[in-house]
Amino acid sequence: MSELEKQTSDLKIAGPTVYVNEATGLDDASADGSQAKPFKTPAYALFVNAESSIQVYKEEAYEPISPSALKKAKKGADGLAKKAEKSKKLAEQAAAREAEEAKKMEAAKNIVIKEDASLPTATKIKIGVADQYRITSDKSPRVKVSGWIHRLRVQKGVAFVVLRDGSGFLQVVLSGDLANAYQTTTLTLESTITVSGSIKTVPEGQTAPGGHELIADYYEIVGLAPSGDESITNKVQENADPSILLDQRHLTLRGDTLSAVMKVRARFLRAVREVYEEEGLTEVTPPCMVQTQVEGGSTLFSFNYYGEEAYLTQSSQLYLETCVPALGDVYCIQESFRAERSHTRRHLSEYTHIEAELGFLTFEDMLEHIERLICGVVDKILSDPVSGPLVKQLNPNFVAPQRPFMRMPYVDALEWLNEHNIPNEEGKPFTFGDDIAEAAERRMTDEIGLPIFLTRFPLEIKSFYMKKCADDKRVTESVDVLMPNVGEVTGGSMRIQDLDELLEGLKRENISPEPYYWFIDQRKYGAYPHGGYGLGTERILAWLCDRFTVRDCSLYPRFSGRCKP
């Protein structure tokens, strides 16, 4: 017998004949080894029945498997057998885990969370004052807090919940039956709960918001938020398209960043009122529905007002001017509206406008007043225990501006831009009378890196009511306040006090004086030197909080194409 015949004899296996066709065979799991349904691989044929006699299709007919192929098939079958055994073990383990989980779940459902009636009545508090109720050597108060689940981590026998109520964040520790109860397994992010317990200092080496945590002795679910596809993490994803995040603004506001900006915004507006109180200004509330323009007809939102044409105000300036003779220096914090089809990062169609009008002052007096306002507001925000750390968190490199701000006349700005090869909107060097576009203005401000009073703009590119400079009638006593990273945040001017000069300005802008009779009367009945300005709240916040766009600084931003939710 030849060596080849001997090997073949050794490898022959008695048993049923099965067929393998590697070209046309069915998926192994659905084949039966017949000629009609041949296996795809010899290894699977041996895995199914180790005693099989294998016929492999070669060219036009089935032939017995070769010794080398049979040897390879045995190795493959061994591998499949090991894999199957592993899968079986994994399945058994999974089944055991499921049984164990089902047992635990059944036990959890039998746990009833009840408040211990022997405990003292809990004092209802806000998270922001939780530190005042911390356990000390001489007191051990019991407190009750309510809020939304901001973060959640459930472990064996213990659950950690970071609760949010708008005033702050508090880590809550659930243990024992509180952690093991079925209701705890149903908790989801943004669910609302009420928890009672004691505030303790966080153990050394561990961290939690505020350095303390609530050790719970009782809690109840107030409102359970959805899980799965409807969960908050699926509705609002960090890297989602900005338009989707704006559609879900009501949910994105709950995030760390936007909520922080809104808290800084609240402190900012309060600080503005505080500084104005210190400066002796009186707050007034002018109308938002008007029939006169301030900044130009092309940016007016018009509407039908009982059969008359009216507009949403662009500015409350004209009304503020009428208040000064009656109330002295005045200010307002009011919404203004600009129908600009602009999609730049610093434009909104509706924004919170801070405006002031002051009497019997010079242009330099007004600049110094604006410096005191901006620096005073910033100081109050940074020294506040809530907003100060938030600004540091949002804008770690922020440095409070120092007085005096840099003064730069318009003509000097043109010279600077031309020296730095920054062209106008037509791609040419700047010449007198050119409007300095946003991009060029911001680039100059960012490179200088300081707050700038950009002053003395040409008459033809400013509004009809701005006063001409005494030493150069081509320019006005006007100012834009420019801040690094955001550009213009404030615009103002001294106002024309002479009646004939005001009428000339209206004529120059082709504005009929008739609807402005009440404004013109301010020059008839006791003319006086006066000036004013307006600050864009969202732009100031973008500077303070280092936001790329003012949209992040508005609760529900409105701009071209966006008026929801």
Side-chain angles (χ1 to χ4, degrees), residues 450-523:
L450 297 169
I452 299 172
F453 277 144
L454 189 57
T455 63
R456 297 168 64 93
F457 288 89
L459 184 69
E460 59 266 28
I461 64 172
K462 285 298 180 181
S463 297
F464 69 87
Y465 52 77
M466 293 191 178
K467 185 178 180 179
K468 297 175 186 175
C469 291
D471 61 342
D472 186 350
K473 299 298 183 181
R474 300 177 307 157
V475 296
T476 55
E477 288 190 331
S478 52
V479 61
D480 282 354
V481 182
L482 312 180
M483 290 295 181
N485 300 321
V486 68
E488 181 191 348
V489 296
T490 306
S493 75
M494 295 300 291
R495 318 306 193 189
I496 294 172
Q497 67 188 75
D498 181 76
L499 175 60
D500 292 336
E501 188 178 347
L502 179 63
L503 292 173
E504 180 187 326
L506 288 167
K507 184 178 179 180
R508 184 179 68 247
E509 299 295 329
N510 294 315
I511 298 173
S512 171
E514 293 180 9
Y516 294 85
Y517 72 91
W518 52 274
F519 179 67
I520 294 169
D521 275 354
Q522 305 307 307
R523 278 75 184 168

Side-chain angles (χ1 to χ4, degrees), residues 31 53 137 265 319 341 419 532:
S53 177
S137 58
R265 179 188 172 104
Y319 293 96
R341 294 189 178 276
E419 285 178 355

Side-chain angles (χ1 to χ4, degrees), residues 3 72 223 225 243 312 314 321 340 389 411 456 462 489 522 535 539 552 554:
E3 185 64 22
K72 183 178 179 181
S243 64
L312 294 177
Q314 300 165 311
E321 287 192 43
E340 294 177 284
V411 291
R456 297 168 64 93
K462 285 298 180 181
V489 296
Q522 305 307 307
L535 292 83
R539 290 189 183 182
D552 289 343
S554 173

Side-chain angles (χ1 to χ4, degrees), residues 342-355:
S342 176
H343 286 275
T344 75
R345 58 180 173 143
R346 68 174 194 172
H347 281 91
L348 291 169
S349 297
E350 176 187 18
Y351 65 99
T352 303
H353 208 174
I354 300 166
E355 298 181 88

